[in-house]
Amino acid sequence: MYDKIMKLYPSLTDIDFMTVITLQNDSDGKGDYIAKWEHPTLARPTDEELA
Amino acid sequence: MACIINASTTSGLVQTADLSGVLQFQQNGVALPNGGVAPAFNAYGSALQSIATATFTKIAFNTKAFLNGVSGTVFDTNTNYDTTNYRFTPTVAGYYQINSTISTTSSATGLAFIAIYKNGTAFCYGNIVPNTNGGYITANGLVYCNGSTDYIEIYAYQNSGVSLNFGSSSSPFQFSGCLVRGA
């Protein structure tokens, strides 16, 4: 998930992923997902972009 | 199940008795923490867990500890810890001291920490350590739980740029908690 998002938005920083973006994995076999996307300028990636 | 002394809002002082030899105090039907039913648990993980970079990942504390450390009675007084979902859902309302520790592996860059999650959202964070050192990270907090739906989990985070292994079968990484004050 992280790698796909960074490929879409290379300008994102470590701080972004600790503040306005939260990637999460609930260890339930369903994998990583975007739990929060509050970036002020970049749009939340679509499922198609992350596929 | 217990001899109960209950301060009821409708009946005043209510006493019930059985032959269990257990004494329980209640406030309007809710057991007090010192009444012998205060939830306490201790769980640990039994294998390495890969944590993807920049991704809050629930730690799989999948085994209940034993009271004496090796066998016998498990350390989960009220059977409130779920080893499938790695979740503590206490059945008595009140304030819970929550603790967790896990080992990390070193990496050239980034940092690592763990967080106490309440109901799926970060409630408080532990100490942040640079990945260059590896070692142990901890989180401790006092969390109110309503005794029915509130639940507690532990999530780990690292941002080395690659996946890192946390925990191991040979080093202690544990998740524990207990009621310290009733609601």
Side-chain angles (χ1 to χ4, degrees), chain B residues 108-132:
Chain B
T109 61
L111 51 81
F113 60 88
I114 54 178
I116 297 172
Y117 269 48
K118 177 183 177 183
N119 300 335
T121 303
F123 179 81
C124 67
Y125 299 92
N127 61 316
I128 297 174
V129 299
N131 284 329
T132 48

PDB file of all heavy atoms in Angstrom, chain B residues 108-132:
ATOM      1  N   ALA B 108      18.569   0.890   9.208  1.00  0.00           N
ATOM      2  CA  ALA B 108      19.428   2.059   9.049  1.00  0.00           C
ATOM      3  C   ALA B 108      18.684   3.367   9.270  1.00  0.00           C
ATOM      4  O   ALA B 108      19.265   4.362   9.715  1.00  0.00           O
ATOM      5  CB  ALA B 108      20.072   2.055   7.672  1.00  0.00           C
ATOM      6  N   THR B 109      17.390   3.372   8.969  1.00  0.00           N
ATOM      7  CA  THR B 109      16.655   4.637   9.021  1.00  0.00           C
ATOM      8  C   THR B 109      15.324   4.487   9.744  1.00  0.00           C
ATOM      9  O   THR B 109      14.852   3.376   9.989  1.00  0.00           O
ATOM     10  CB  THR B 109      16.357   5.153   7.595  1.00  0.00           C
ATOM     11  OG1 THR B 109      15.544   4.169   6.931  1.00  0.00           O
ATOM     12  CG2 THR B 109      17.635   5.377   6.808  1.00  0.00           C
ATOM     13  N   GLY B 110      14.729   5.610  10.049  1.00  0.00           N
ATOM     14  CA  GLY B 110      13.365   5.630  10.561  1.00  0.00           C
ATOM     15  C   GLY B 110      13.257   5.473  12.057  1.00  0.00           C
ATOM     16  O   GLY B 110      14.250   5.480  12.797  1.00  0.00           O
ATOM     17  N   LEU B 111      12.023   5.339  12.518  1.00  0.00           N
ATOM     18  CA  LEU B 111      11.735   5.232  13.938  1.00  0.00           C
ATOM     19  C   LEU B 111      10.649   4.176  14.149  1.00  0.00           C
ATOM     20  O   LEU B 111      10.046   3.679  13.199  1.00  0.00           O
ATOM     21  CB  LEU B 111      11.284   6.593  14.481  1.00  0.00           C
ATOM     22  CG  LEU B 111      10.160   7.302  13.719  1.00  0.00           C
ATOM     23  CD1 LEU B 111       8.795   6.796  14.074  1.00  0.00           C
ATOM     24  CD2 LEU B 111      10.242   8.803  13.979  1.00  0.00           C
ATOM     25  N   ALA B 112      10.426   3.847  15.411  1.00  0.00           N
ATOM     26  CA  ALA B 112       9.408   2.842  15.736  1.00  0.00           C
ATOM     27  C   ALA B 112       8.738   3.200  17.051  1.00  0.00           C
ATOM     28  O   ALA B 112       9.358   3.819  17.931  1.00  0.00           O
ATOM     29  CB  ALA B 112      10.036   1.455  15.832  1.00  0.00           C
ATOM     30  N   PHE B 113       7.476   2.830  17.156  1.00  0.00           N
ATOM     31  CA  PHE B 113       6.749   2.985  18.416  1.00  0.00           C
ATOM     32  C   PHE B 113       5.513   2.101  18.369  1.00  0.00           C
ATOM     33  O   PHE B 113       5.156   1.551  17.314  1.00  0.00           O
ATOM     34  CB  PHE B 113       6.359   4.451  18.668  1.00  0.00           C
ATOM     35  CG  PHE B 113       5.479   5.072  17.623  1.00  0.00           C
ATOM     36  CD1 PHE B 113       4.096   4.970  17.699  1.00  0.00           C
ATOM     37  CD2 PHE B 113       6.040   5.762  16.555  1.00  0.00           C
ATOM     38  CE1 PHE B 113       3.287   5.549  16.733  1.00  0.00           C
ATOM     39  CE2 PHE B 113       5.239   6.343  15.582  1.00  0.00           C
ATOM     40  CZ  PHE B 113       3.860   6.240  15.676  1.00  0.00           C
ATOM     41  N   ILE B 114       4.864   1.958  19.515  1.00  0.00           N
ATOM     42  CA  ILE B 114       3.582   1.261  19.554  1.00  0.00           C
ATOM     43  C   ILE B 114       2.544   2.199  20.158  1.00  0.00           C
ATOM     44  O   ILE B 114       2.893   3.168  20.849  1.00  0.00           O
ATOM     45  CB  ILE B 114       3.633  -0.072  20.327  1.00  0.00           C
ATOM     46  CG1 ILE B 114       4.188   0.121  21.741  1.00  0.00           C
ATOM     47  CG2 ILE B 114       4.413  -1.099  19.560  1.00  0.00           C
ATOM     48  CD1 ILE B 114       4.205  -1.164  22.552  1.00  0.00           C
ATOM     49  N   ALA B 115       1.300   1.907  19.880  1.00  0.00           N
ATOM     50  CA  ALA B 115       0.206   2.745  20.358  1.00  0.00           C
ATOM     51  C   ALA B 115      -0.887   1.876  20.967  1.00  0.00           C
ATOM     52  O   ALA B 115      -1.129   0.760  20.513  1.00  0.00           O
ATOM     53  CB  ALA B 115      -0.376   3.576  19.211  1.00  0.00           C
ATOM     54  N   ILE B 116      -1.514   2.408  22.013  1.00  0.00           N
ATOM     55  CA  ILE B 116      -2.692   1.770  22.582  1.00  0.00           C
ATOM     56  C   ILE B 116      -3.905   2.278  21.814  1.00  0.00           C
ATOM     57  O   ILE B 116      -4.124   3.489  21.726  1.00  0.00           O
ATOM     58  CB  ILE B 116      -2.821   2.094  24.082  1.00  0.00           C
ATOM     59  CG1 ILE B 116      -1.629   1.522  24.857  1.00  0.00           C
ATOM     60  CG2 ILE B 116      -4.143   1.560  24.639  1.00  0.00           C
ATOM     61  CD1 ILE B 116      -1.577   1.963  26.310  1.00  0.00           C
ATOM     62  N   TYR B 117      -4.652   1.355  21.226  1.00  0.00           N
ATOM     63  CA  TYR B 117      -5.854   1.713  20.485  1.00  0.00           C
ATOM     64  C   TYR B 117      -7.095   1.417  21.322  1.00  0.00           C
ATOM     65  O   TYR B 117      -7.192   0.348  21.931  1.00  0.00           O
ATOM     66  CB  TYR B 117      -5.936   0.897  19.190  1.00  0.00           C
ATOM     67  CG  TYR B 117      -5.292   1.539  17.980  1.00  0.00           C
ATOM     68  CD1 TYR B 117      -4.014   2.070  18.044  1.00  0.00           C
ATOM     69  CD2 TYR B 117      -5.973   1.603  16.771  1.00  0.00           C
ATOM     70  CE1 TYR B 117      -3.422   2.642  16.930  1.00  0.00           C
ATOM     71  CE2 TYR B 117      -5.387   2.167  15.641  1.00  0.00           C
ATOM     72  CZ  TYR B 117      -4.106   2.691  15.736  1.00  0.00           C
ATOM     73  OH  TYR B 117      -3.541   3.254  14.630  1.00  0.00           O
ATOM     74  N   LYS B 118      -8.014   2.356  21.343  1.00  0.00           N
ATOM     75  CA  LYS B 118      -9.308   2.122  21.972  1.00  0.00           C
ATOM     76  C   LYS B 118     -10.382   2.199  20.894  1.00  0.00           C
ATOM     77  O   LYS B 118     -10.474   3.201  20.182  1.00  0.00           O
ATOM     78  CB  LYS B 118      -9.578   3.170  23.057  1.00  0.00           C
ATOM     79  CG  LYS B 118     -10.952   3.026  23.715  1.00  0.00           C
ATOM     80  CD  LYS B 118     -11.211   4.117  24.734  1.00  0.00           C
ATOM     81  CE  LYS B 118     -12.603   3.987  25.324  1.00  0.00           C
ATOM     82  NZ  LYS B 118     -12.919   5.080  26.277  1.00  0.00           N
ATOM     83  N   ASN B 119     -11.137   1.137  20.752  1.00  0.00           N
ATOM     84  CA  ASN B 119     -12.225   1.068  19.767  1.00  0.00           C
ATOM     85  C   ASN B 119     -11.751   1.381  18.354  1.00  0.00           C
ATOM     86  O   ASN B 119     -12.423   2.062  17.582  1.00  0.00           O
ATOM     87  CB  ASN B 119     -13.364   2.002  20.163  1.00  0.00           C
ATOM     88  CG  ASN B 119     -13.955   1.656  21.509  1.00  0.00           C
ATOM     89  OD1 ASN B 119     -13.874   0.522  21.947  1.00  0.00           O
ATOM     90  ND2 ASN B 119     -14.532   2.639  22.180  1.00  0.00           N
ATOM     91  N   GLY B 120     -10.535   0.913  18.016  1.00  0.00           N
ATOM     92  CA  GLY B 120     -10.040   1.039  16.655  1.00  0.00           C
ATOM     93  C   GLY B 120      -9.321   2.326  16.343  1.00  0.00           C
ATOM     94  O   GLY B 120      -8.922   2.549  15.198  1.00  0.00           O
ATOM     95  N   THR B 121      -9.144   3.193  17.332  1.00  0.00           N
ATOM     96  CA  THR B 121      -8.479   4.477  17.117  1.00  0.00           C
ATOM     97  C   THR B 121      -7.362   4.663  18.141  1.00  0.00           C
ATOM     98  O   THR B 121      -7.530   4.280  19.305  1.00  0.00           O
ATOM     99  CB  THR B 121      -9.485   5.632  17.266  1.00  0.00           C
ATOM    100  OG1 THR B 121     -10.573   5.422  16.345  1.00  0.00           O
ATOM    101  CG2 THR B 121      -8.837   6.974  16.958  1.00  0.00           C
ATOM    102  N   ALA B 122      -6.259   5.283  17.696  1.00  0.00           N
ATOM    103  CA  ALA B 122      -5.127   5.506  18.604  1.00  0.00           C
ATOM    104  C   ALA B 122      -5.570   6.331  19.808  1.00  0.00           C
ATOM    105  O   ALA B 122      -6.158   7.400  19.656  1.00  0.00           O
ATOM    106  CB  ALA B 122      -3.998   6.191  17.864  1.00  0.00           C
ATOM    107  N   PHE B 123      -5.279   5.817  20.989  1.00  0.00           N
ATOM    108  CA  PHE B 123      -5.653   6.502  22.229  1.00  0.00           C
ATOM    109  C   PHE B 123      -4.440   7.167  22.856  1.00  0.00           C
ATOM    110  O   PHE B 123      -4.515   8.305  23.305  1.00  0.00           O
ATOM    111  CB  PHE B 123      -6.273   5.493  23.202  1.00  0.00           C
ATOM    112  CG  PHE B 123      -6.676   6.087  24.517  1.00  0.00           C
ATOM    113  CD1 PHE B 123      -7.868   6.775  24.646  1.00  0.00           C
ATOM    114  CD2 PHE B 123      -5.858   5.974  25.630  1.00  0.00           C
ATOM    115  CE1 PHE B 123      -8.243   7.341  25.860  1.00  0.00           C
ATOM    116  CE2 PHE B 123      -6.224   6.528  26.847  1.00  0.00           C
ATOM    117  CZ  PHE B 123      -7.415   7.218  26.958  1.00  0.00           C
ATOM    118  N   CYS B 124      -3.313   6.479  22.907  1.00  0.00           N
ATOM    119  CA  CYS B 124      -2.070   7.083  23.383  1.00  0.00           C
ATOM    120  C   CYS B 124      -0.885   6.327  22.792  1.00  0.00           C
ATOM    121  O   CYS B 124      -1.029   5.180  22.361  1.00  0.00           O
ATOM    122  CB  CYS B 124      -1.996   7.135  24.906  1.00  0.00           C
ATOM    123  SG  CYS B 124      -1.889   5.543  25.713  1.00  0.00           S
ATOM    124  N   TYR B 125       0.248   7.006  22.761  1.00  0.00           N
ATOM    125  CA  TYR B 125       1.431   6.458  22.109  1.00  0.00           C
ATOM    126  C   TYR B 125       2.522   6.176  23.135  1.00  0.00           C
ATOM    127  O   TYR B 125       2.612   6.842  24.168  1.00  0.00           O
ATOM    128  CB  TYR B 125       1.963   7.443  21.064  1.00  0.00           C
ATOM    129  CG  TYR B 125       0.977   7.733  19.962  1.00  0.00           C
ATOM    130  CD1 TYR B 125       0.103   8.817  20.061  1.00  0.00           C
ATOM    131  CD2 TYR B 125       0.897   6.917  18.844  1.00  0.00           C
ATOM    132  CE1 TYR B 125      -0.824   9.074  19.059  1.00  0.00           C
ATOM    133  CE2 TYR B 125      -0.018   7.163  17.836  1.00  0.00           C
ATOM    134  CZ  TYR B 125      -0.883   8.252  17.946  1.00  0.00           C
ATOM    135  OH  TYR B 125      -1.791   8.491  16.956  1.00  0.00           O
ATOM    136  N   GLY B 126       3.367   5.217  22.790  1.00  0.00           N
ATOM    137  CA  GLY B 126       4.505   4.911  23.637  1.00  0.00           C
ATOM    138  C   GLY B 126       5.730   5.695  23.216  1.00  0.00           C
ATOM    139  O   GLY B 126       5.645   6.628  22.412  1.00  0.00           O
ATOM    140  N   ASN B 127       6.861   5.302  23.764  1.00  0.00           N
ATOM    141  CA  ASN B 127       8.106   6.006  23.443  1.00  0.00           C
ATOM    142  C   ASN B 127       8.520   5.729  21.998  1.00  0.00           C
ATOM    143  O   ASN B 127       8.301   4.647  21.468  1.00  0.00           O
ATOM    144  CB  ASN B 127       9.215   5.587  24.404  1.00  0.00           C
ATOM    145  CG  ASN B 127       9.516   4.107  24.324  1.00  0.00           C
ATOM    146  OD1 ASN B 127       8.593   3.303  24.287  1.00  0.00           O
ATOM    147  ND2 ASN B 127      10.773   3.739  24.282  1.00  0.00           N
ATOM    148  N   ILE B 128       9.102   6.728  21.385  1.00  0.00           N
ATOM    149  CA  ILE B 128       9.571   6.613  20.006  1.00  0.00           C
ATOM    150  C   ILE B 128      11.075   6.364  20.024  1.00  0.00           C
ATOM    151  O   ILE B 128      11.820   7.094  20.678  1.00  0.00           O
ATOM    152  CB  ILE B 128       9.253   7.904  19.219  1.00  0.00           C
ATOM    153  CG1 ILE B 128       7.736   8.100  19.162  1.00  0.00           C
ATOM    154  CG2 ILE B 128       9.849   7.850  17.827  1.00  0.00           C
ATOM    155  CD1 ILE B 128       7.310   9.416  18.532  1.00  0.00           C
ATOM    156  N   VAL B 129      11.505   5.326  19.319  1.00  0.00           N
ATOM    157  CA  VAL B 129      12.933   5.016  19.298  1.00  0.00           C
ATOM    158  C   VAL B 129      13.419   4.972  17.851  1.00  0.00           C
ATOM    159  O   VAL B 129      12.668   4.592  16.942  1.00  0.00           O
ATOM    160  CB  VAL B 129      13.226   3.665  19.984  1.00  0.00           C
ATOM    161  CG1 VAL B 129      12.815   3.690  21.444  1.00  0.00           C
ATOM    162  CG2 VAL B 129      12.530   2.532  19.257  1.00  0.00           C
ATOM    163  N   PRO B 130      14.661   5.349  17.618  1.00  0.00           N
ATOM    164  CA  PRO B 130      15.208   5.241  16.259  1.00  0.00           C
ATOM    165  C   PRO B 130      15.437   3.779  15.905  1.00  0.00           C
ATOM    166  O   PRO B 130      15.846   2.981  16.747  1.00  0.00           O
ATOM    167  CB  PRO B 130      16.526   6.008  16.347  1.00  0.00           C
ATOM    168  CG  PRO B 130      16.889   5.975  17.791  1.00  0.00           C
ATOM    169  CD  PRO B 130      15.607   5.960  18.554  1.00  0.00           C
ATOM    170  N   ASN B 131      15.155   3.436  14.654  1.00  0.00           N
ATOM    171  CA  ASN B 131      15.338   2.046  14.232  1.00  0.00           C
ATOM    172  C   ASN B 131      16.795   1.612  14.263  1.00  0.00           C
ATOM    173  O   ASN B 131      17.085   0.412  14.281  1.00  0.00           O
ATOM    174  CB  ASN B 131      14.777   1.860  12.813  1.00  0.00           C
ATOM    175  CG  ASN B 131      13.255   1.796  12.814  1.00  0.00           C
ATOM    176  OD1 ASN B 131      12.647   1.336  13.757  1.00  0.00           O
ATOM    177  ND2 ASN B 131      12.657   2.288  11.741  1.00  0.00           N
ATOM    178  N   THR B 132      17.707   2.560  14.246  1.00  0.00           N
ATOM    179  CA  THR B 132      19.121   2.194  14.248  1.00  0.00           C
ATOM    180  C   THR B 132      19.494   1.394  15.491  1.00  0.00           C
ATOM    181  O   THR B 132      20.418   0.594  15.471  1.00  0.00           O
ATOM    182  CB  THR B 132      19.999   3.459  14.193  1.00  0.00           C
ATOM    183  OG1 THR B 132      19.520   4.388  15.167  1.00  0.00           O
ATOM    184  CG2 THR B 132      19.937   4.085  12.822  1.00  0.00           C
TER     185      THR B 132
END
